Every structure is written in structure tokens, then in C-alpha cells.
Amino acid sequence: MSKKKKPIKTNAVRLLEQKKIDFTVDEYCWTENHVGAKDTAKELGISADHIFKTLVAVGNKTGPIVAVVPGNKELDLKKLAKISGNKKVDMLPLKELEPLTGYVHGGCSPVGMKKLLPTYFALEAQNLKTMHCSAGARGLQLSVAPIDLAAIVEANFADISLEG
């Protein structure tokens, strides 16, 4: 009789379970040379436009903002500023990511952060049956319906991505 591997419990996984949201977690080999969503897509055999990266920015009026964009695109800071009611938006300094969100670079999930921040999902996610994003640790990806994930984090879908 083989032992079943126990799934890793991150804040993101715990919250999705608590809210009774259907999801799966995929584990993949992560190394320091792993450079982002495109590598994750390749590792999992998924198209990069279905892998979403979670980025945290800071608006001059609102403070921290979460942006979730496809792995094959970039975040358009000007569009994010406009949609979030800011004049200017800059990326959050990396050293401030973990204290603010509870997550490390390369393992930042849009769900389960220390506190709920204004969150925007790229329009590309809106019509997908499932999207993949970090499960809250390097080497772990959630597969979840974007509409369910957006509901939990009170996200708005918006035009915030730029061809990468």
C-alpha cells in the first residue's frame, strides 16, 4: 500500500478550501534559475497565456495594488494607474513584498495575502475556464476558475496588460 503525498498547505490553498472553491495544485521543479511564468508554463506543459503572474505595485493615491497578468504579457503601469484611480503607479520594491503580502518573489499568489488589497485581473483571464497562478510558494501552481478566484479577492477584470 503506497502512501499518498500530502498536499502542501499555503495560505492560498487554505483559503480556497475554506471557501469551498474547486481547484487543483500542481507541483513543479523550481530552481534559482527559474525566471518566471514562461518557465513555469514550460515545466507544466501549459500555454504561457494560461499562466498568470501576480505583481504588486504601489499607486501614488491608493497605495499597494495587485495586478494579475498573463505570463506571456507585461503589466501596463499606465493602464493600471488609470483604472485604479492613481496618477502614477510603480512596482513595489522587492524587499517590501514579503512583509506586505506574506509571500516571496516567485511564490506570490493573488489569494491569501496578509490583507485584501485592491486587485485587478487582466481581461485575458475573464473568459478562461481555468487559469493557473501561484499557490503561494515557489514550485506550486493553482488551477482555478478565474471568476471564482476574482470573487474571493474582490478583483475587477480590466485592460492592464501589454504585449511582452
Side-chain angles (χ1 to χ4, degrees):
M1 186 171 172
S2 65
K3 285 189 175 181
K4 198 172 184 181
K5 190 177 175 184
K6 216 175 177 184
I8 296 173
K9 296 281 186 158
T10 63
N11 287 343
V13 170
R14 283 185 201 95
L15 188 58
L16 291 173
E17 286 177 343
Q18 179 187 354
K19 300 287 186 181
K20 300 189 181 342
I21 301 295
D22 286 333
F23 71 96
T24 59
V25 176
D26 294 309
E27 195 169 351
Y28 63 95
C29 184
W30 184 90
T31 68
E32 289 296 331
N33 296 328
H34 188 274
V35 292
K38 290 179 184 174
D39 284 341
T40 300
K42 186 176 178 184
E43 192 73 32
L44 293 175
I46 300 167
S47 174
D49 62 347
H50 282 68
I51 298 272
F52 284 74
K53 50 193 174 184
T54 304
L55 305 169
V56 183
V58 180
N60 68 317
K61 293 181 181 177
T62 62
I65 308 164
V66 177
V68 181
V69 297
N72 62 341
K73 298 204 175 169
E74 299 298 324
L75 173 61
D76 188 322
L77 292 173
K78 289 182 181 180
K79 288 179 180 178
L80 182 61
K82 185 174 182 180
I83 199 78
S84 64
N86 288 285
K87 279 193 175 212
K88 185 177 183 192
V89 169
D90 292 307
M91 294 305 297
L92 180 79
L94 201 51
K95 68 180 191 248
E96 296 176 25
L97 183 66
E98 189 172 4
L100 176 69
T101 66
Y103 293 128
V104 297
H105 177 67
C108 189
S109 179
V111 63
M113 290 186 181
K114 286 183 174 181
K115 65 180 191 175
L116 194 59
L117 299 172
T119 303
Y120 297 89
F121 282 16
L123 284 177
E124 292 87 343
Q126 197 167 19
N127 296 319
L128 293 177
K129 183 178 174 186
T130 59
M131 65 183 282
H132 302 266
C133 65
S134 177
R138 293 170 175 159
L140 291 179
Q141 285 283 302
L142 291 173
S143 176
V144 62
I147 200 78
D148 291 341
L149 194 59
I152 288 177
V153 297
E154 299 174 16
N156 292 304
F157 289 92
D159 179 16
I160 57 169
S161 57
L162 184 66
E163 290 301 321

